[in-house]
Amino acid sequence: MTKDENSGKRPTLKDVALAAGVSVATASYALNDVGSVGGDTRRHVLEVAARLGYRPNLSAKAMRTGKTSAIGLILPDLTNPFFPALAQNVVHAARESAYSVFVTDTQGSPEAERAAAQALIQRGVDGLIWFPINDEDTLAELTGGLPVLVLDRDNPRHDLIQIDVDSGGRMAAERLIRAGHRRIGVISGPTDVRSSRQRSESSAEVLRRHDALAWHLHNAYSFDLEPAVAAAVADGSATALCVGADLIALGAINTLRQRGLRVPEDISIIGFDNIPYGALAFPGLSTINIPVEEMGIEAVNTLLRRIAKPTESRRRLVFDVTYVERGTVAPPPAP
Amino acid sequence: MTKDENSGKRPTLKDVALAAGVSVATASYALNDVGSVGGDTRRHVLEVAARLGYRPNLSAKAMRTGKTSAIGLILPDLTNPFFPALAQNVVHAARESAYSVFVTDTQGSPEAERAAAQALIQRGVDGLIWFPINDEDTLAELTGGLPVLVLDRDNPRHDLIQIDVDSGGRMAAERLIRAGHRRIGVISGPTDVRSSRQRSESSAEVLRRHDALAWHLHNAYSFDLEPAVAAAVADGSATALCVGADLIALGAINTLRQRGLRVPEDISIIGFDNIPYGALAFPGLSTINIPVEEMGIEAVNTLLRRIAKPTESRRRLVFDVTYVERGTVAPPPAP
DNA sequence: CCTTAAAAATGAAACGTTTAATTAAAACAA
DNA sequence: TTGTTTTAATTAAACGTTTCATTTTTAAGG
């Protein structure tokens, strides 16, 4: 009573052992439920630990075991509306397993990506969830044997969680065809990333097959359309748009509105990503949904499995996308 | 050469010391630039460390010093569009000072808030940046002497970073008055949080003074308007709306559109928060901007200062807001 | 050249755990 | 009873740092 909870400091394992009248080793075994400890002793130790409010010092544990039960999440840009939901689910899923998450944002620069990874590795994270900014294997020399899960990219060395973008691109194109459109423009997002390119390429392919591809341009990942794109969008050459990213699609809607065109009466639009903005627009943006929430959860599951079994064979998980109909698709206007 | 970089494992301080032909102590002093080490020796140690690619083991360092150079960021909800920018800037500012950030999201539950804090404290974070979900001091018994910075709330025990919401509420009301409106409705966000309540109350107060307050309702923080609010908004009783949160404001615009009313021709709207969605809407949402980026940066600065000087007197920083004009304010329609 | 002070370098303890190796105690078989 | 096995508990080393107390070396002063 007077000796136990004194000293103001957080109680250490030694304090627990002392108070319980056992050795530090026994206390450790009891608390971790390993080794051979008598039933009575175990209960007693647990009880004392609870009474003292003992919390193991994770730094010490980490140093001894080499495991921090922390993981790192490396994202290109937190303010990109696609990522917060992903991060949220990663954090939650990790918490379920008593892992904490260092979140890092690399602002689109490979150097920042490397710096972030370095810092995390030095901190001793048990694994990394990495959404690379491009197709390069930027972290190749850094990671050593560290478990890494790569999102939405290809990588020969790591577990992968990907999206069936082809099917998404096709769905969008087919939906517009089915609505009766025959002059459809395609706007792709960044072309330096394969998964992004493919979205639009598979759209374009479908459209070509139906002889319905009006044009295929591309635009940076941004709400603002580049002049050439803005022009094409509004010059009447297409009655519908298949856009590789919601943010660009919203930008397109904006441009059209500014030029007095109506969506979807004059021109139909389908986006890709299902970012939260889309549901808030008026009319709501029809788009291809990516199950980010599940991806986040599955990312930590897969990573934790890899941490537990480093030698298991590499995994590659592909998530299906779905078309979500809102208000931006209609039949083409009568000529 | 053959002895140094062998063993596959990351080199430890001992390896560096050995390779440099000095004691571990000297190596430590040299690398940390403390103690008395001869110039030549210091340079030599540094050089060897670099050659071996030595990185201090932060877990060990943490255990020895009790400092992890990690901080925790506790937010209510990452998918709330207000927070990603904050988180991003916290992460960046922290990185500048070689700190890493555990990000956590409490989903609006005080228990989750406590659990998150517990976990972080157990991890030994050097401090916490905390955006509480309500006005309660949920973490009161947990934090002990740990440096904590509280955002957008009041708290008697911690450093504070707040927003001059009163002035924001007034600005919005005055702008609408200035545009000529005389029947203005106020929609406040959650009323259980003082900083949120005040936004709308100071709007209402200004309007009352001008005898221009049509009504004052409130709505959950959500895009969907509650029936009573939706009705009031569209029944012609107000020619302008002063809304305590952008998300609700966008919901209001949506409701109005669905009922065939135009913004701003029929009804003007001003929001609060300046969430990124607002700029993307058509027309862009006029709103009160909160400098989240600066707040994030200042939060880590203040927290780090507190970590360095735990006894310094408590700080309270109040950020100014600004009105940002976009497209949702116009004179009232002629009757 | 000797003494003393200052500077540089070192040895070893400590931080809070885990865990291998060891000993002590209890249970069992003969 | 006695030896043997099983079970329970302990001792002590180790993880990679920092840092105090000490020793060794160098420089300074006479």
Side-chain angles (χ1 to χ4, degrees), chain A residues 101-280:
Chain A
V101 184
F102 284 115
V103 176
T104 267
D105 160 307
T106 58
Q107 295 283 56
S109 118
E111 297 79 54
E113 216 166 23
R114 259 190 296 263
Q118 285 255 111
L120 293 176
I121 291 171
Q122 179 167 181
R123 284 219 131 68
V125 293
D126 296 344
L128 250 27
I129 296 179
W130 178 33
F131 198 121
I133 56 174
N134 57 30
D135 289 329
E136 311 297 320
D137 191 1
T138 330
L139 308 186
E141 310 88 47
L142 298 180
T143 50
L146 187 75
V148 175
L149 183 136
V150 172
L151 285 165
D152 194 41
R153 300 284 184 270
D154 230 322
N155 189 298
R157 307 159 43 238
H158 302 304
D159 291 320
L160 265 28
I161 288 194
Q162 302 180 323
I163 301 156
D164 187 354
V165 287
D166 283 321
S167 126
R170 274 185 257 117
M171 280 176 175
E174 281 158 9
R175 176 69 185 87
L176 292 173
I177 294 282
R178 199 157 5 100
H181 293 271
R182 287 302 174 268
R183 298 191 339 262
I184 303 175
V186 172
I187 309 177
S188 56
T191 55
D192 57 326
V193 173
R194 207 172 86 103
S195 78
S196 160
R197 235 181 304 132
Q198 274 187 308
R199 300 176 173 195
S200 300
E201 259 164 31
S202 38
S203 288
E205 196 180 324
V206 168
L207 296 178
R208 237 178 267 119
R209 203 156 46 231
H210 287 81
D211 199 24
L213 179 62
W215 40 260
H216 184 170
L217 297 171
H218 77 94
N219 200 86
Y221 183 82
S222 153
F223 184 69
D224 300 311
L225 296 197
E226 286 147 28
V229 180
V233 153
D235 69 4
S237 56
T239 63
L241 264 30
C242 219
V243 188
D246 280 358
L247 188 62
I248 306 176
L250 291 170
I253 296 181
N254 192 255
T255 300
L256 289 167
R257 284 246 177 82
Q258 282 171 347
R259 312 210 174 176
L261 290 161
R262 293 160 307 155
V263 176
E265 292 82 356
D266 298 323
I267 190 160
S268 292
I269 297 194
I270 296 183
F272 205 119
D273 278 343
N274 194 17
I275 61 177
Y277 301 91
L280 273 46

Side-chain angles (χ1 to χ4, degrees), chain A residues 63 69 88 100 105 123, chain B residues 63 69 88 100 105 123 277:
Chain A
M63 156 145 97
S69 51
Q88 183 177 63
S100 296
D105 160 307
R123 284 219 131 68
Chain B
M63 157 147 95
S69 51
Q88 182 177 65
S100 296
D105 159 309
R123 283 220 130 68
Y277 300 90

Side-chain angles (χ1 to χ4, degrees), chain A residues 1-9 11 51-52:
Chain A
M1 269 299 159
T2 70
K3 191 78 160 300
D4 296 354
E5 50 251 37
N6 63 350
S7 76
K9 286 279 123 257
R51 179 161 55 77
L52 297 192

